[in-house]
Amino acid sequence: MLKIAICEDEKEQQQILERLITSEQLREPHELEKFDSGEDLVSVYEAGQRFSIILLDMKMKELDCIQTAEIIRKYDENCIIIIITSIIEYAVNGYSIEAYDFILKPIDEKKFSK
């Protein structure tokens, strides 16, 4: 089972990502969980929960994407982290946390599907 996490502090963006995920014809059954902050996502990791894929917003209030991912990588080196950002320059920072890819906002559905 694919376990997918959306970590995005903007509710509208959460809903867009959720709609895009549920509209995909995934080969495996999946569970989807949404988080409003990096702190919330980190807390479930510290409690032992793991995800196959994490869609992680770059700019959040307390812990940003890089800080959140650095903590998650201490628990899980294998999850796929995809950075969601509105500023392309921030995407370069994803290399430091071994991000799989990045997606620019506004989200292009074709890019997301790939």
Side-chain angles (χ1 to χ4, degrees):
M1 162 125 6
L2 278 178
K3 295 188 75 172
I4 303 170
I6 297 172
C7 187
E8 166 67 65
D9 57 353
E10 295 178 26
K11 292 291 185 190
E12 183 179 337
Q13 290 297 318
Q14 274 188 7
Q15 292 170 350
I16 290 168
L17 289 165
E18 181 176 22
R19 179 182 54 79
L20 290 169
I21 290 167
T22 56
S23 69
E24 286 296 312
Q25 299 295 323
L26 299 175
R27 291 178 224 154
E28 297 180 46
H30 66 280
E31 292 178 1
L32 178 64
E33 199 164 334
K34 296 181 284 186
F35 299 91
D36 296 326
S37 70
E39 296 84 5
D40 292 345
L41 179 58
V42 166
S43 70
V44 300
Y45 256 87
E46 289 172 340
Q49 191 169 348
R50 299 293 179 266
F51 293 95
S52 312
I53 301 170
I54 300 173
L55 299 167
L56 189 55
D57 183 33
M58 179 58 83
K59 290 184 74 175
M60 294 182 284
K61 293 179 180 88
E62 298 293 323
L63 290 178
D64 68 14
C65 169
I66 302 303
Q67 294 165 321
T68 302
E70 286 173 343
I71 296 168
I72 287 170
R73 286 289 185 222
K74 292 178 185 176
Y75 295 97
D76 187 353
E77 295 178 358
N78 298 316
C79 69
I80 294 171
I81 296 176
I82 300 172
I83 297 171
I84 310 294
T85 184
S86 58
I87 303 172
I88 195 163
E89 289 80 17
Y90 288 148
V92 174
N93 295 337
Y95 292 109
S96 68
I97 50 105
E98 299 179 32
Y100 177 78
D101 203 354
F102 70 93
I103 298 175
L104 286 174
K105 294 178 186 177
I107 297 170
D108 178 88
E109 292 188 33
K110 288 180 184 176
K111 166 84 173 167
F112 184 85
S113 183
K114 288 181 184 179

